[in-house]
Amino acid sequence: MPPTPLLARSLLFAPGDSERKLIKASESAADLILCDLEDSVAPERKGDARANTAAHLRAHGADGRQWVRINPLDTPHALADLSAIVPARPAGIVLPKAMRGDCERLDHYLSALEAAAGLPIGGIAVMAIATETAQAVFGLGDYRGTPRLAALTWGAEDIATALGASGNRNGDGSYAFPFQLYRALCLTGAVAAGVTPIETIHGDFRDAAGLEAVASEARRAGFRGMMAIHPDQVAIINRCFSPDAAEVAQAERIVAAFAASPGAGTIGLDGAMLDRPHLKRAEAVLTLAQRAG
């Protein structure tokens, strides 16, 4: 089955062991809620988080927004996570420390658990966090055709630890070169696979200006959405990943100009020569606007 790209501007994490935070996240304007069983949950709370997240999915999963980040497949927690939450029917699974082989193994686990629960086989989508180990970085161009895969995203913290780096940023706050490379490879790998590239978190949820700068640049680069760690970040992310009125108007003019000259490879508009890549970008803007509306 070909991948179905994920349509989401904002993806908000909430710890799976806190029903209060899960509800608060669900009441936000985030396009997706990422119920977290991994980093935000202490080892001794994993069981409570599974039970709480499963109950949350049964109560709120009908909105189609509820995803779950499980623990990595090479931990003793992953199968317990899946067996607890699949019967509650999450919309998708976020797989950390992933490689393509892990995604394929996850597909088998999900298919078995969906069958056991009487759910449609293949109904639960997957997003892979694909840069969290050194080995995974070398497979970022190899995700085309991966079952269930809807999106790729990246993370800078785990890979910094794997590399033995003392930090992942330069003095001016920008990512150091290795992490800029991993980000670019994630974006390119997602496009090569035909799935949605999702930007990683902006860790300082009080830094609204910094978040806006990062989100705006990410959209310009080609990312389609961004993860958030606090509800206050959602409105900024949604705005940055939604075309404004001027962009929509210009895109409509470009599409109309090509429609008025069927078969033309290039057209002139406002003194500029536009070709088919300009048309594709204009159509993508209108798709984003329709989604945001």
Side-chain angles (χ1 to χ4, degrees), residues 36-151:
D36 189 27
L37 301 179
E38 195 207 10
D39 285 344
S40 66
V41 179
E44 63 272 16
R45 294 278 297 166
K46 298 290 188 185
D48 292 336
R50 290 181 197 113
N52 188 62
T53 297
H56 175 80
L57 292 171
R58 291 188 175 95
H60 302 279
D63 66 6
R65 301 160 64 210
Q66 310 293 326
W67 284 51
V68 178
R69 179 168 69 174
I70 64 169
N71 288 276
L73 290 189
D74 63 355
T75 70
H77 302 296
L79 287 177
D81 292 344
L82 291 169
S83 64
I85 65 172
V86 167
R89 201 169 184 173
I93 298 294
V94 181
L95 182 62
K97 296 183 175 62
M99 297 178 63
R100 177 175 179 144
D102 298 314
C103 294
E104 292 176 340
R105 183 154 55 112
L106 176 60
D107 171 56
H108 293 310
Y109 292 159
L110 288 172
S111 294
L113 290 165
E114 285 168 336
L119 301 176
I121 305 300
I124 298 173
V126 169
M127 176 168 62
I129 308 179
T131 67
E132 292 188 312
T133 67
Q135 187 178 7
V137 169
F138 292 99
L140 281 166
D142 190 36
Y143 279 91
R144 177 165 286 278
T146 302
R148 301 177 185 262
L149 191 68

Side-chain angles (χ1 to χ4, degrees), residues 159-176:
I159 185 61
T161 300
L163 294 178
S166 59
N168 54 29
R169 294 183 183 269
N170 298 313
D172 63 0
S174 63
Y175 280 112

Side-chain angles (χ1 to χ4, degrees), residues 253-264 267:
R253 294 181 68 225
I254 292 171
V255 170
F258 275 97
S261 301
I267 61 167

